[in-house]
Amino acid sequence: MTNGPLIVQSDKSLLLEVDHEQAAECRRAIAPFAELERSPEHIHTYRLTPLGLWNARAAGHDAEQVVDTLLTYSRYAVPHSLLVDVAETMARYGRLRLEKHPVHGLVLSSTDRPVLEEVLRAKKIAGMLGNRLDDDTVAVHPSERGNLKQALLKIGWPAEDFAGYVDGEAHPIALTPDGWELRTYQEEAAESFWHGGSGVVVLPCGAGKTIVGAAAMAQAQATTLILVTNTVSARQWKDELVRRTSLTADEIGEYSGAVKEIRPVTIATYQVMTTRRKGVYPHLELFDARDWGLIVYDEVHLLPAPIFRMTADLQARRRIGLTATLVREDGREGDVFSLIGPKRYDAPWKDIEAQGWIAPADCVEVRVTLPDAVRLAYATAEPEERYRLASCTREKITVTQELVTRHRGQPTLVIGQYLEQLEELSTALDAPVITGATTVKERQRLYDAFRHGEIDLLVVSKVANFSIDLPSAEVAIQVSGSFGSRQEEAQRLGRLLRPGEPGPDGERKVARFYTLVSRDTVDAEFAQNRQRFLAEQGYAYRIIDAEDVGA
Amino acid sequence: MSRLLTLRPDLTTPPPHDFSQLASRAAVRSSLGRALDSLTRGELSVLDALVVASQTSDAELATMVNAEERYVTEAVAHLRGLALAWDSPEGLRALSGVADSLVGGTGAGVSGLRPRSSDAPPPEVVTERLGQVSEEARAMLDHVLANGGEATAGAARRTVRPEDAAGPVEELLARALLVPGRDDLLVVPGEVGLALRGGRTTLEPVDVPPGLATAERPARLTESAAAGAALELCRRTELLLEWWSTRPAAALRTGGLGVRELKATAAHLQLSELDTALVVETAHAAHLVATRADADGNPVWVPTDAFDAWLATDVAERWVTLARAWLASPRMPSLVGGRGADDKPWNALTPELASVLMPETRAMTLAALAEVPPGHSLAAGTGLPSLVTLLAWRRSRRPRSRADQVAWTVAEAAVIGVTGLDTLSSYGRALVAGEDPTPLLAALLPEPVDHVLIQADLTAVAPGPLETGIARSLQLVADVESRGAATVYRFSAGSLRRALDAGWTAAEVHAFLASVSRTPVPQPLTYLVDDAVRTFGQLRVGYAEAFVRSDDEAALAALAHHPKAASLGLRLIASTVMVSTTPVDLLLTRLRELGVAPVVEGPDGTVRVGRVDEVRARTPKARGSGQQEARHAAQVAAAVRALRAADAAARVRPAAAVSPAGALSALRDAIERRASVVIAFTDNQGVVGERVVEPFAVEGGQLTAHDRTADDVRTFAVHRISRVTPVPEGP
C-alpha cells in the first residue's frame, strides 16, 4: 500500500486528493486518459470512459502506461477487473485504420481479421464500404469517411484515421505579437492540436480561445473557414484576427444573414449555415466554396446537427473545435469525438485562474421568497407554465435593484431569459436592453458604450450568452435562464472572467455572479442542475436569502 | 490400527464388529478405490510394482521401481499403513483386489505389466531367452507390451518346444515369453515385461513430481492486490446482502437463483455475472443467505440473522468467515452461466451445482500454490497447466474434471482474495495451513478512516474505508454515489429528509457533519440542511373520524372542555375547527344529547338536512305450492322405502344368521336366486348397519347390489360384510 494521492474506485472513477504533495504530478499523469468530471475544493473526480481512453490512444499513450500510472499513484489496491477493462478498451482503438491507398484511394484496413469481419457484417456499416480488396482491406468512398468513423465509434471499434489531410489553398497568416504574446497554455493547446491533426481544445471562457484559433491558423498557413455562434461574435473574431495576426480586414470575409462575403478567411454563423429553404440548406455549399485548409468551430458544444452532417463530409480538412464546456445537453459528445476529433487540450478553470489569466469569481445564489399570492398561482399553474412563473416573479426585480445599487459604479450585466421580464427590468432599472430583436448595429453600439464605460448597466437576453467580449463587466445578475442548462450558466459566468487591469491599489477585480432563484419552486431545482458544472469546476456558490442582500 | 482407520475413514462407518469384518471391508472394491484415490502417482507405481512382483521382499521391490530406494521404502510404509500391502509369511504382498482396482493407464501410475508367473524363471534366464528369439518375435513382443500386454492367439499352437516353433508367436510361446491367459488370450508375463524394461516396471523415474512454472513477482504487489480483492469481496457481499434485505431475490422452484435475478444483481454489484455468482455462492456457503417465503408465499433469497453478526465484526474477520466457507464449500460457482449435460443452464445456488471433490481440489491447489516460494508467482501462461500437471501427479486417479476444477480454484481464489496476481498471500497461506489469518490480513487492509472531506458541490468523500458507525450515519444523511476503497456521498434534500424522518434534529445533523468533516462544512451544505429542516413537517397528517367546525369560537372551545364530551375524542386543531375520533353518526347523536344542534356537512361543503328515513324491509317472496307438494311427495316416498327396508330387515333378524365365512356363498346363492338379502355392513365410519340389497354380482372382492334403502345400485367391499341373511319371500 503506497501513500499516493489517487484512489481508484471500482466504478471507474478516480479520486484525486488535491492537497496531496504528489497531486500536481499525478494530475499531469492521468490527464491524458481520464476525463475531469468534478473539481471541487478537496477531491477532484476523474472518470475512465471509453472516449477518454481512446483519446489517450489517439495521443499515443498505450494501455501499459495507463495501468502503470494508476498503480503508481494509487493509494489502495487497484481493482483487477478495472485494469483488465482498461487494457481491453484501449486495445479496441486502432484495430481498424483508415488509410490512403495508392490505387484505391481511401481504404479501411485491419490487423485483426475477426474485427474487420464483424464490422463488415454490421448492418449500419455495410452500406458505407466498397469492394473488399483483400482479406484485410476494404475500400471506402471518400465521402463516407466521417460517417464511417461515426458509425464505427458507435459499435465500439473506433478507427484511427491515417488518411491525412489536404493542405488546402495556401494563404500566409502570421501572428503579430506586438505588446502581447502567446500564453503558455495557448501555445500548448495550439501545438497539441496541430500534432493531433484535428481535435477539440477546451479552455475556460475568457482564457483567449480566439488566440488559440489564430495560432492554429498561423500553423496551417491556409485559407480558413471559421464558424461562430452569431454575428456579433463574428465581428469580434474579425477584430481580434486583425489585431493579432498579419491578416488585414480585406482578407477576412463575413458570411452571415446580412453580408455574404467569401474571402481567404471567412467567418460564418451557425444560423446562416443552418437556414433551411424548401428542405435544403442553401448555405452549406460554403464548405465547398473554397479549398479550405482549416475549419475552426467556435463554441463546439453548440454545434447544430446539420453542421455535424456537413462536417462528416469534410474529414480530409483539418478541424479545430473550441469550447469552454464540452458538455452537450444533447449528449452528442461522441459525435464531436468522431467528426471534429478527440479532445486535444483541456485546462481546469481554477488552474487558469491561479495563473491569473482569468478573474476569480464570487458566485452567490440569492433565494427569493415568493409572496403568498404568487405561491398560490404557482401551485395551481400548469406544469409548463411553472418555470416561467417562478422565474419572473416581481420580487426578483426588487432584489436586482438592490444589487445594482450596491454595485453602483461597477459595470453590471443583468441577464435573463424572458423578454417581458427583461423589459420590466429595463424600465425599473432605467437601463438599455438587448434582445434578439435589437438590430446588430444597435447591439454593437451598446456593447461598445459598455466597453468604454459610457454605460455601466445593461439588460441582456440570451443573445449575450456566448462569445460576447465585454472585458469590463464585473457583476452579472442572472434573473432567469433556460431551464437546467449547465453550459449556459458557465458561459454566463464566462462573460465576467476577462481579467481587467489591476486597480490603483494593485488588486485585480473579483467577478461577482449573482443568480436569483425562487425558493421552493422548479426554479431552485433547475438552478441546482445549472450550477453543477461550475461547482464541479471548483466554483463554490454561497447561498443567501434575499432579505440579507442589503446586509 | 488407529492410523489405518484415520487414513481410510470409510472403514469406520459403521463401526466394524470385529477384525474379520474390518479386513473384508478393507478389501471391498469401493473402499479400495477410495484408498487408491488418495495415492500419488509415485505411490501408485510402487503398488503397481508390488502387484507385478506378486510376492516379494522390500529389498527386491526397491530394485523393481524406477525410483530412489528411500522413496520406495517410504511409499511401502505408507501402503502398509493403508493396508494395501501386507506381510504374508511368504513375503510382502499387495492386498488381493488391488490388482483389479489398479486401472487408468500410466497417468494413474499403472505400468501395464502383468503379475509375474508363479514359476517365474530368474531374470537372467528370461534375458537369455529374449536373446534367442528372432527380430520379428522381439518386435511383436514389444508391440504387445506397449499395447496392454495382451494379444489374441490366432492359430498358433500353445505347447510347442522352441525347436518346433513356427512363426514368431510360437517362438515366444515356446520360451514362455508369452503365456496363455484366460479367454484364449496370450499375455506377456510380468518377468518378461520387467526384463524388457531393464528390470524395472517403468522406463521413467516415478518419484519425481512435476515442477511448477513460476516467475518472480514482488511480494508487495501481490499482497496488495490480494488484500484489495479481499476488501472488495467483503464490500460486495455487504452490498449484495443489504440490497437483498430490502429487495429479496426470487428463488427458483429448484432452489436456485434465476438468470434474470443474477443479471440484476451483477448490475447492482458492478461485477461480471460469473464473479457475482461466486459472491452469492460464498455468502450462501457462509450461511449468510437463505430462502424464506415472502408475503405471497413464494420462496425468496434473503440474508440470515448471521449476516447481522457478520456485519458487527471487523473486515478481516468478515473475510475469514467468507474465505473459510469458500474453502470448505463443495459448490462450483464457476459453472454458472454454462450449460449442463442436459443442455439446461446452470443457475447459481442450485443444489446440483456441487461436487464432493471440490473442497479437496481447492485445498490441494492452494497447498500447491503455498509451495511457491515468496516473491514468486505462477508464470503467466505456463503456470496454470503446470499446476494441473502437478495435481494430476498427486492425485492421479481422479477426478476427470480436475483441470477445470483447478482453473476454477485459481480464478475464484483471485476474486476471493486468497491470492493476488496468482500468488498465495501471506494470510492466504495461514488460511490454508489452518491458522488464523485475521491479524495478517488486518495489517494489510487500509486503516479505517474517521473523517470525510465535505465539498461545496454537496458531496462528501471518505478517502478510505470508513469506521462502521460513521458509515451508517453517513448513509442515512447522504446517498452513496461511488463505492470502492473510498466512498463518495452526495447530500440532497431527499437524503437529509431521510435523516430527519429517522428522528435526527437539525442540530444533530450539523454536529455530526462538523464532527466527521476534516474541513469546514461548506456554506451551501449548511444552507441545504437548514432548508430541509425548514420544509420538514410543514404538512402534518393525522387521523380523525369526523370534524366539527363553527364560526363561534367560544362555543367550540366550550364544547372541547365540556366534561361529558371527554369520551368523544374532540381536539381543537384551529380556533374554528375540531376533530373527533368518533364516527359521524355517533358523534351527531352524542352532540345532540349534549344540547347542541349540529348539522351534517357533505363532502362538497353543503349542509345536509332532512327528515329521518323511515325504515322498511323487503317483502319475503312466496314459493309456488306445486313445488312444495312435489318435494313433500318425494320425502314421503323415501320414508316409506326406508321403513319397508327396515321392516324386511327386522323380520329376518331372528332367523338364523349366516356366518361371515359363509357370507360369500350366501351372496352367490342370492345372486343365483335373484333374491334379496340383508347384509350387515361396516361403513367407512366404522358403523355397522344393516341393508337390504338385491345382489347382482360378486367380483374382485366387491359386491354389486341394488340397495333398497338408497334405491340405487351400490358396490360393497365383501370383507366388510360380516353377515348375510336371506330375506324370506315377502308377502
Side-chain angles (χ1 to χ4, degrees), chain B residues 593-659:
Chain B
E593 283 168 16
L594 289 178
V596 290
V599 288
V600 178
E601 199 176 90
D604 51 355
T606 54
V607 170
R608 297 210 169 157
V609 285
R611 61 189 184 126
V612 178
D613 282 344
E614 288 168 2
V615 185
R616 294 286 182 278
R618 206 173 65 157
T619 319
K621 245 189 210 166
R623 283 227 172 81
S625 54
Q627 213 178 352
Q628 264 177 339
E629 272 167 26
R631 186 178 294 172
H632 184 65
Q635 277 170 354
V636 170
V640 169
R641 214 166 37 241
L643 279 173
R644 290 239 169 93
D647 188 37
R651 250 183 284 141
V652 296
R653 197 165 298 137
V658 176
S659 71

Coordinates of all heavy atoms in Angstrom, one line a residue, chain B residues 593-659:
Chain B
E593 N -77.3 15.1 22.3 CA -77.5 14.8 23.7 C -77.0 15.9 24.6 O -77.5 16.2 25.7 CB -76.9 13.4 24.1 CG -77.7 12.3 23.6 CD -77.0 10.9 23.8 OE1 -75.9 10.9 24.5 OE2 -77.3 10.0 23.1
L594 N -75.8 16.4 24.1 CA -75.2 17.5 24.9 C -75.9 18.8 24.7 O -75.5 19.8 25.3 CB -73.7 17.6 24.5 CG -72.8 16.5 24.9 CD1 -71.4 16.7 24.3 CD2 -72.7 16.3 26.4
G595 N -76.9 18.9 23.9 CA -77.7 20.1 23.8 C -77.3 21.0 22.8 O -77.7 22.1 22.7
V596 N -76.4 20.6 21.8 CA -76.1 21.5 20.7 C -76.9 21.0 19.5 O -77.4 19.8 19.5 CB -74.6 21.6 20.4 CG1 -73.9 22.3 21.5 CG2 -74.0 20.2 20.2
A597 N -76.9 21.8 18.5 CA -77.7 21.4 17.3 C -76.8 21.3 16.1 O -76.8 22.2 15.3 CB -78.8 22.4 17.1
P598 N -76.1 20.2 15.9 CA -75.2 20.1 14.8 C -75.9 19.8 13.5 O -77.0 19.1 13.6 CB -74.2 19.1 15.1 CG -74.9 18.2 16.1 CD -76.0 19.0 16.8
V599 N -75.4 20.2 12.4 CA -75.9 19.7 11.1 C -74.7 19.0 10.4 O -73.6 19.2 10.7 CB -76.4 20.8 10.2 CG1 -77.8 21.3 10.7 CG2 -75.4 21.9 10.0
V600 N -75.1 18.1 9.4 CA -74.0 17.3 8.7 C -73.6 18.1 7.5 O -74.4 18.7 6.8 CB -74.5 16.0 8.3 CG1 -73.5 15.2 7.5 CG2 -75.0 15.2 9.5
E601 N -72.3 18.2 7.3 CA -71.7 18.9 6.1 C -71.3 17.8 5.1 O -70.6 16.8 5.4 CB -70.5 19.7 6.5 CG -70.2 20.8 5.5 CD -69.0 21.6 6.1 OE1 -67.9 21.3 5.8 OE2 -69.3 22.6 6.8
G602 N -71.7 17.9 3.9 CA -71.4 17.0 2.8 C -69.9 17.2 2.4 O -69.3 18.1 2.7
P603 N -69.4 16.3 1.5 CA -68.0 16.4 1.0 C -67.8 17.7 0.2 O -66.7 18.1 0.2 CB -67.9 15.2 0.1 CG -69.1 14.3 0.3 CD -70.1 15.1 1.0
D604 N -68.9 18.2 -0.4 CA -68.7 19.4 -1.1 C -68.9 20.7 -0.3 O -69.0 21.8 -0.8 CB -69.6 19.4 -2.3 CG -71.1 19.1 -1.9 OD1 -71.3 18.8 -0.7 OD2 -72.0 19.2 -2.8
G605 N -69.1 20.5 1.0 CA -69.3 21.7 1.9 C -70.7 22.1 2.1 O -70.9 23.0 2.9
T606 N -71.6 21.5 1.4 CA -73.0 21.9 1.6 C -73.6 21.2 2.9 O -73.2 20.2 3.3 CB -73.9 21.5 0.4 OG1 -73.7 20.1 0.2 CG2 -73.4 22.2 -0.9
V607 N -74.6 21.9 3.4 CA -75.3 21.4 4.6 C -76.3 20.4 4.2 O -77.1 20.6 3.2 CB -75.9 22.5 5.4 CG1 -76.7 22.0 6.5 CG2 -74.7 23.4 6.0
R608 N -76.4 19.3 4.9 CA -77.4 18.3 4.6 C -78.5 18.2 5.7 O -78.1 17.9 6.8 CB -76.8 16.9 4.5 CG -75.8 16.9 3.3 CD -75.7 15.6 2.7 NE -75.0 15.7 1.5 CZ -74.4 14.6 1.0 NH1 -74.4 13.5 1.6 NH2 -73.8 14.8 -0.2
V609 N -79.7 18.6 5.4 CA -80.7 18.4 6.4 C -81.8 17.6 5.7 O -81.9 17.4 4.5 CB -81.3 19.8 6.8 CG1 -80.3 20.4 7.8 CG2 -81.6 20.6 5.6
G610 N -82.8 17.1 6.6 CA -83.9 16.3 6.0 C -84.5 15.5 7.1 O -83.9 15.4 8.2
R611 N -85.7 14.9 6.8 CA -86.3 14.1 7.8 C -85.6 12.8 7.9 O -84.9 12.4 7.1 CB -87.8 13.9 7.5 CG -87.9 13.2 6.2 CD -89.4 13.2 5.7 NE -89.4 12.4 4.5 CZ -90.2 11.4 4.3 NH1 -91.1 11.1 5.2 NH2 -90.2 10.7 3.2
V612 N -85.9 12.2 9.0 CA -85.3 10.9 9.3 C -85.9 9.8 8.3 O -87.1 9.8 8.1 CB -85.5 10.5 10.8 CG1 -84.9 9.1 11.1 CG2 -85.0 11.5 11.7
D613 N -85.0 9.0 7.8 CA -85.5 8.0 6.9 C -86.4 7.0 7.6 O -86.1 6.5 8.7 CB -84.3 7.2 6.3 CG -83.7 8.0 5.2 OD1 -84.3 9.0 4.7 OD2 -82.5 7.7 4.8
E614 N -87.6 6.6 7.0 CA -88.4 5.6 7.6 C -88.0 4.3 7.1 O -87.7 4.1 5.9 CB -89.9 5.9 7.2 CG -90.4 7.1 8.0 CD -91.7 7.6 7.4 OE1 -92.3 6.9 6.5 OE2 -92.3 8.6 7.9
V615 N -87.9 3.3 8.1 CA -87.3 2.0 7.8 C -88.3 1.1 7.2 O -89.4 1.0 7.6 CB -86.6 1.4 9.0 CG1 -85.9 0.2 8.7 CG2 -85.7 2.5 9.7
R616 N -88.0 0.4 6.1 CA -88.8 -0.7 5.5 C -87.9 -1.9 5.2 O -86.8 -1.8 4.9 CB -89.4 -0.2 4.2 CG -90.3 1.0 4.3 CD -91.7 0.5 4.8 NE -92.6 1.6 4.9 CZ -92.7 2.5 5.8 NH1 -91.8 2.4 6.9 NH2 -93.5 3.5 5.8
A617 N -88.6 -3.1 5.3 CA -87.9 -4.3 5.0 C -88.4 -4.8 3.7 O -89.4 -4.4 3.2 CB -88.1 -5.3 6.1
R618 N -87.7 -5.8 3.1 CA -88.1 -6.3 1.8 C -89.2 -7.3 2.0 O -89.2 -8.1 3.0 CB -86.9 -7.0 1.1 CG -87.0 -7.0 -0.3 CD -85.8 -7.6 -0.9 NE -85.6 -8.9 -0.5 CZ -84.8 -9.8 -1.1 NH1 -84.1 -9.4 -2.2 NH2 -84.6 -11.0 -0.7
T619 N -90.2 -7.3 1.1 CA -91.3 -8.3 1.2 C -90.7 -9.7 0.9 O -90.0 -9.8 -0.1 CB -92.4 -8.0 0.2 OG1 -92.6 -6.6 0.2 CG2 -93.6 -8.8 0.5
P620 N -90.9 -10.7 1.8 CA -90.4 -12.0 1.5 C -91.1 -12.6 0.3 O -92.3 -12.3 0.1 CB -90.7 -12.8 2.8 CG -91.5 -11.9 3.7 CD -91.7 -10.6 3.1
K621 N -90.4 -13.4 -0.5 CA -91.0 -14.0 -1.7 C -91.7 -15.3 -1.3 O -91.2 -16.1 -0.5 CB -89.9 -14.3 -2.7 CG -89.9 -13.6 -3.9 CD -88.9 -14.1 -4.9 CE -88.4 -13.1 -5.8 NZ -87.2 -13.5 -6.5
A622 N -92.9 -15.5 -1.8 CA -93.6 -16.7 -1.5 C -93.3 -17.8 -2.6 O -93.2 -17.4 -3.8 CB -95.1 -16.5 -1.6
R623 N -93.1 -19.0 -2.2 CA -92.8 -20.1 -3.1 C -94.0 -20.6 -3.7 O -95.1 -20.7 -3.1 CB -92.0 -21.2 -2.4 CG -90.6 -20.8 -2.2 CD -89.7 -22.0 -2.6 NE -88.3 -21.6 -2.6 CZ -87.6 -21.6 -1.4 NH1 -88.2 -22.0 -0.3 NH2 -86.3 -21.3 -1.4
G624 N -94.0 -21.2 -5.0 CA -95.2 -21.8 -5.6 C -95.6 -23.0 -4.8 O -94.7 -23.7 -4.3
S625 N -96.9 -23.4 -4.8 CA -97.4 -24.5 -4.0 C -97.0 -25.8 -4.6 O -96.8 -26.8 -4.0 CB -98.9 -24.4 -3.7 OG -99.5 -24.3 -5.0
G626 N -97.0 -25.9 -6.0 CA -96.7 -27.2 -6.7 C -95.4 -27.7 -6.3 O -95.2 -28.9 -6.1
Q627 N -94.4 -26.8 -6.2 CA -93.1 -27.2 -5.9 C -93.0 -27.9 -4.5 O -92.4 -28.9 -4.4 CB -92.2 -26.0 -5.9 CG -90.8 -26.1 -6.3 CD -90.1 -24.8 -6.3 OE1 -90.7 -23.8 -6.1 NE2 -88.8 -24.9 -6.5
Q628 N -93.7 -27.3 -3.6 CA -93.7 -27.8 -2.3 C -94.3 -29.2 -2.2 O -93.8 -30.1 -1.5 CB -94.6 -26.9 -1.3 CG -93.7 -25.9 -0.6 CD -94.5 -25.0 0.3 OE1 -95.7 -24.8 0.0 NE2 -93.8 -24.4 1.2
E629 N -95.4 -29.3 -3.0 CA -96.1 -30.7 -3.0 C -95.1 -31.7 -3.5 O -95.0 -32.8 -2.9 CB -97.3 -30.6 -3.9 CG -98.5 -30.1 -3.1 CD -99.7 -29.8 -4.0 OE1 -99.7 -30.3 -5.1 OE2 -100.5 -28.9 -3.6
A630 N -94.5 -31.5 -4.6 CA -93.6 -32.4 -5.2 C -92.5 -32.8 -4.2 O -92.2 -34.0 -4.0 CB -92.9 -31.8 -6.4
R631 N -92.0 -31.8 -3.5 CA -90.9 -32.1 -2.5 C -91.5 -33.0 -1.4 O -90.8 -34.0 -1.0 CB -90.4 -30.8 -1.9 CG -89.2 -31.0 -1.0 CD -88.7 -29.8 -0.5 NE -88.1 -28.9 -1.5 CZ -87.7 -27.7 -1.3 NH1 -87.9 -27.1 -0.1 NH2 -87.2 -27.0 -2.3
H632 N -92.7 -32.7 -1.0 CA -93.3 -33.4 0.1 C -93.5 -34.9 -0.3 O -93.1 -35.8 0.4 CB -94.6 -32.8 0.5 CG -95.3 -33.5 1.6 ND1 -94.8 -33.5 2.9 CD2 -96.4 -34.2 1.7 CE1 -95.6 -34.2 3.7 NE2 -96.6 -34.6 3.0
A633 N -94.0 -35.1 -1.6 CA -94.2 -36.5 -2.1 C -92.9 -37.3 -2.1 O -92.9 -38.4 -1.7 CB -94.8 -36.4 -3.5
A634 N -91.9 -36.6 -2.5 CA -90.6 -37.3 -2.6 C -90.1 -37.7 -1.2 O -89.6 -38.8 -1.0 CB -89.6 -36.4 -3.2
Q635 N -90.4 -36.8 -0.2 CA -90.0 -37.1 1.1 C -90.7 -38.3 1.7 O -90.2 -39.2 2.3 CB -90.2 -35.9 2.1 CG -89.1 -34.9 2.0 CD -89.5 -33.6 2.7 OE1 -90.6 -33.4 3.1 NE2 -88.5 -32.7 2.8
V636 N -92.0 -38.3 1.4 CA -92.9 -39.4 1.9 C -92.4 -40.7 1.2 O -92.2 -41.8 1.9 CB -94.3 -39.2 1.5 CG1 -95.2 -40.4 1.8 CG2 -94.9 -38.0 2.3
A637 N -92.1 -40.7 -0.1 CA -91.7 -42.0 -0.8 C -90.4 -42.5 -0.1 O -90.3 -43.7 0.1 CB -91.5 -41.7 -2.2
A638 N -89.5 -41.6 0.1 CA -88.2 -42.0 0.7 C -88.4 -42.6 2.1 O -87.9 -43.7 2.4 CB -87.3 -40.8 0.8
A639 N -89.3 -42.0 2.8 CA -89.6 -42.5 4.2 C -90.2 -43.9 4.1 O -89.8 -44.8 4.9 CB -90.5 -41.6 4.9
V640 N -91.1 -44.1 3.2 CA -91.8 -45.4 3.1 C -90.8 -46.5 2.7 O -90.7 -47.6 3.3 CB -92.9 -45.3 2.1 CG1 -93.4 -46.7 1.7 CG2 -94.0 -44.4 2.6
R641 N -89.9 -46.1 1.8 CA -88.9 -47.1 1.3 C -88.0 -47.5 2.4 O -87.8 -48.7 2.7 CB -88.1 -46.4 0.2 CG -87.7 -47.4 -0.8 CD -87.1 -46.7 -2.1 NE -86.4 -45.6 -1.8 CZ -86.7 -44.4 -2.3 NH1 -87.8 -44.2 -3.0 NH2 -85.9 -43.3 -2.0
A642 N -87.6 -46.5 3.2 CA -86.7 -46.8 4.3 C -87.4 -47.7 5.3 O -86.8 -48.7 5.9 CB -86.2 -45.5 5.0
L643 N -88.7 -47.4 5.6 CA -89.4 -48.2 6.6 C -89.6 -49.6 6.1 O -89.3 -50.5 6.9 CB -90.8 -47.6 6.7 CG -90.9 -46.3 7.7 CD1 -92.3 -45.7 7.6 CD2 -90.6 -46.8 9.1
R644 N -89.9 -49.8 4.8 CA -90.1 -51.1 4.3 C -88.8 -51.9 4.5 O -88.8 -53.1 4.9 CB -90.4 -51.1 2.8 CG -91.8 -50.5 2.6 CD -92.7 -51.5 1.8 NE -94.1 -51.1 1.9 CZ -94.6 -50.4 0.9 NH1 -93.9 -50.0 -0.2 NH2 -95.9 -50.0 1.0
A645 N -87.7 -51.3 4.1 CA -86.4 -52.0 4.2 C -86.1 -52.4 5.6 O -85.7 -53.5 5.9 CB -85.4 -51.0 3.6
A646 N -86.4 -51.5 6.5 CA -86.2 -51.7 7.9 C -87.0 -52.9 8.4 O -86.6 -53.8 9.2 CB -86.4 -50.5 8.8
D647 N -88.2 -52.9 7.9 CA -89.2 -53.9 8.3 C -88.6 -55.3 7.8 O -88.6 -56.2 8.6 CB -90.5 -53.6 7.6 CG -91.6 -54.5 8.1 OD1 -91.5 -54.9 9.3 OD2 -92.4 -54.9 7.3
A648 N -88.2 -55.3 6.5 CA -87.7 -56.5 6.0 C -86.5 -57.0 6.8 O -86.4 -58.2 7.1 CB -87.2 -56.3 4.5
A649 N -85.7 -56.1 7.2 CA -84.5 -56.5 8.0 C -84.9 -57.0 9.3 O -84.4 -58.0 9.8 CB -83.6 -55.3 8.2
A650 N -85.9 -56.4 9.9 CA -86.4 -56.8 11.3 C -87.0 -58.2 11.2 O -86.8 -59.0 12.1 CB -87.4 -55.7 11.8
R651 N -87.7 -58.4 10.1 CA -88.4 -59.6 10.0 C -87.4 -60.8 10.0 O -87.7 -61.9 10.5 CB -89.2 -59.7 8.8 CG -90.7 -59.6 9.1 CD -91.6 -59.7 7.9 NE -91.6 -58.5 7.1 CZ -91.5 -58.4 5.8 NH1 -91.4 -59.5 5.1 NH2 -91.6 -57.3 5.2
V652 N -86.3 -60.7 9.4 CA -85.4 -61.8 9.3 C -84.4 -61.9 10.4 O -83.7 -62.9 10.5 CB -84.6 -61.8 7.9 CG1 -85.5 -61.9 6.8 CG2 -83.7 -60.5 7.9
R653 N -84.3 -60.9 11.2 CA -83.2 -60.9 12.2 C -83.3 -62.1 13.1 O -82.2 -62.7 13.4 CB -83.3 -59.6 13.0 CG -81.9 -59.4 13.8 CD -81.8 -58.0 14.3 NE -81.8 -57.0 13.2 CZ -82.5 -55.8 13.2 NH1 -83.2 -55.5 14.3 NH2 -82.4 -55.0 12.2
P654 N -84.5 -62.5 13.6 CA -84.4 -63.6 14.4 C -84.0 -64.9 13.7 O -83.5 -65.8 14.3 CB -85.9 -63.8 14.9 CG -86.5 -62.5 14.5 CD -85.8 -61.9 13.4
A655 N -84.1 -64.9 12.4 CA -83.8 -66.1 11.7 C -82.3 -66.4 11.8 O -81.5 -65.5 12.1 CB -84.2 -65.9 10.2
A656 N -81.9 -67.6 11.4 CA -80.5 -68.0 11.5 C -79.6 -67.1 10.7 O -79.8 -66.9 9.5 CB -80.4 -69.4 11.1
A657 N -78.6 -66.6 11.4 CA -77.7 -65.7 10.7 C -76.6 -66.5 10.0 O -76.2 -67.6 10.5 CB -77.0 -64.8 11.7
V658 N -76.2 -66.1 8.8 CA -75.2 -66.8 8.1 C -73.8 -66.3 8.7 O -73.6 -65.2 8.9 CB -75.3 -66.4 6.6 CG1 -74.1 -67.1 5.8 CG2 -76.6 -66.9 6.1
S659 N -72.9 -67.3 8.9 CA -71.6 -66.9 9.5 C -70.8 -66.1 8.4 O -71.0 -66.3 7.2 CB -70.9 -68.2 9.8 OG -70.5 -68.8 8.6

